[in-house]
Amino acid sequence: MFYWNSLTFRTGPRSHDGLLSGRADVESPVPVFAGAYRWDAILPKEPRMETTPTPETKHPRELVHVPASVRESRKGLLDRSAAAGIPAMPLLGMLPLRRLIPQNLHSVLDYKGALTVAGVGLLSGSVAARTAGLVLGSADLGVSLLTDYRLSLWKLIPIEVHEAIDYVWSLSVIAAPFLFGYSRRSRLATWVHVLVGASTLAASLFTDYRAQRGVQWGRGRKTDLGPVGG
């Protein structure tokens, strides 16, 4: 005597009501004999191997290729998307203080500040002001043209090095009128240099520094870049 069952074998007698009435209380017909054993109780179970997720290994940042479709997708000065570049590693573990100013906008301010410092210095009647303005302006302009960000000609200077230079350059421009003695002889150059230095320093503290290729000098440091635009 046998009856129909779906997926498991049952032990013990089955009521004849179901057989006589012809009810089909099963999903898929599998003929089994009464009193048979469950196969899952007889056959040995395969051992289950518990796996623990392995933490993601951090690797030194290397040169990366940004596809043209991503690199050219958005070019606005306020672009803070993934297309804007690779977020810079924190400088000294704490700088910048906040990432609010987009990299493209900061790059434009770099060029504007360099040309302003150099131009005002050259228009000054003080030799010290002209020399300081020309040296500081040319230095900032050269660094900007060689930095690894979108608005540059050559990607040679890592973005973290550029950030450090921004702080040093800003303080140098502020101190130049007083160190070189043209704070009284050239008031216009003094005020412009101090204002440009102070504004560049403030902007650097809140810039979302981004690299285009991830250029690093020497051995790269291990880094977790974190969320984009964080």
Side-chain angles (χ1 to χ4, degrees), residues 61 87-91 158-165 215-216 221:
R61 198 173 74 185
M89 294 179 288
L91 189 64
I159 190 63
E160 293 83 5
V161 175
H162 178 97
E163 180 182 357
I165 293 175
V215 173
Q216 287 289 301
R221 292 174 294 173

Side-chain angles (χ1 to χ4, degrees), residues 104-128:
N104 291 342
L105 179 59
H106 180 94
S107 301
V108 173
L109 296 178
D110 281 342
Y111 293 112
K112 181 179 179 180
L115 295 177
T116 301
V117 169
V120 171
L122 292 176
L123 295 176
S124 175
S126 170
V127 176

Side-chain angles (χ1 to χ4, degrees), residues 1 13 32 39 44 47 63 67 69-70 74 81 166 225:
M1 169 182 180
V32 299
W39 286 104
L63 293 177
S69 58
V70 174
R74 298 176 62 183
S81 67
D166 278 345
L225 298 179

Side-chain angles (χ1 to χ4, degrees), residues 26-225:
V26 296
E27 298 180 0
S28 59
V30 178
V32 299
F33 291 94
Y37 294 96
R38 293 170 58 96
W39 286 104
D40 56 358
I42 300 175
L43 298 177
K45 297 182 178 180
E46 297 182 358
R48 296 181 179 180
M49 299 182 62
E50 297 183 358
T51 59
T52 57
T54 56
E56 183 179 356
T57 305
K58 300 176 182 179
H59 298 282
R61 198 173 74 185
E62 301 175 353
L63 293 177
V64 295
H65 172 69
V66 180
S69 58
V70 174
R71 186 173 60 249
E72 304 297 334
S73 60
R74 298 176 62 183
K75 289 187 176 181
L77 295 181
L78 302 181
D79 182 13
R80 295 182 61 193
S81 67
I86 307 168
M89 294 179 288
L91 189 64
L92 301 178
M94 57 180 296
L95 296 176
L97 300 178
R98 295 286 301 277
R99 297 176 181 266
L100 302 177
I101 302 175
Q103 176 62 71
N104 291 342
L105 179 59
H106 180 94
S107 301
V108 173
L109 296 178
D110 281 342
Y111 293 112
K112 181 179 179 180
L115 295 177
T116 301
V117 169
V120 171
L122 292 176
L123 295 176
S124 175
S126 170
V127 176
R130 288 197 300 267
T131 303
L134 183 60
V135 171
L136 292 171
S138 300
D140 191 32
L141 182 62
V143 169
S144 300
L145 291 173
L146 299 178
T147 295
D148 179 26
Y149 56 42
R150 179 180 289 173
L151 302 181
S152 67
L153 294 181
W154 299 281
K155 321 299 183 188
L156 301 177
I157 300 177
I159 190 63
E160 293 83 5
V161 175
H162 178 97
E163 180 182 357
I165 293 175
D166 278 345
Y167 298 125
V168 175
W169 185 85
S170 301
L171 296 176
S172 300
V173 173
I174 295 174
F178 309 98
L179 292 178
F180 296 103
Y182 61 90
S183 59
R184 294 183 178 181
R185 288 175 292 178
S186 182
R187 296 295 181 89
L188 178 61
T190 298
W191 277 106
V192 172
H193 286 181
V194 171
L195 289 176
V196 171
S199 61
T200 302
L201 179 61
S204 300
L205 292 173
F206 297 95
T207 292
D208 182 18
Y209 285 95
R210 301 289 187 98
Q212 282 296 296
R213 297 180 58 204
V215 173
Q216 287 289 301
W217 287 347
R219 298 184 60 184
R221 292 174 294 173
K222 292 185 178 180
T223 177
D224 182 4
L225 298 179

Side-chain angles (χ1 to χ4, degrees), residues 7-23:
L7 297 177
T8 61
F9 299 112
R10 299 178 181 174
T11 60
R14 183 181 180 183
S15 172
H16 293 280
D17 296 339
L19 295 176
L20 295 177
S21 61
R23 291 196 305 268

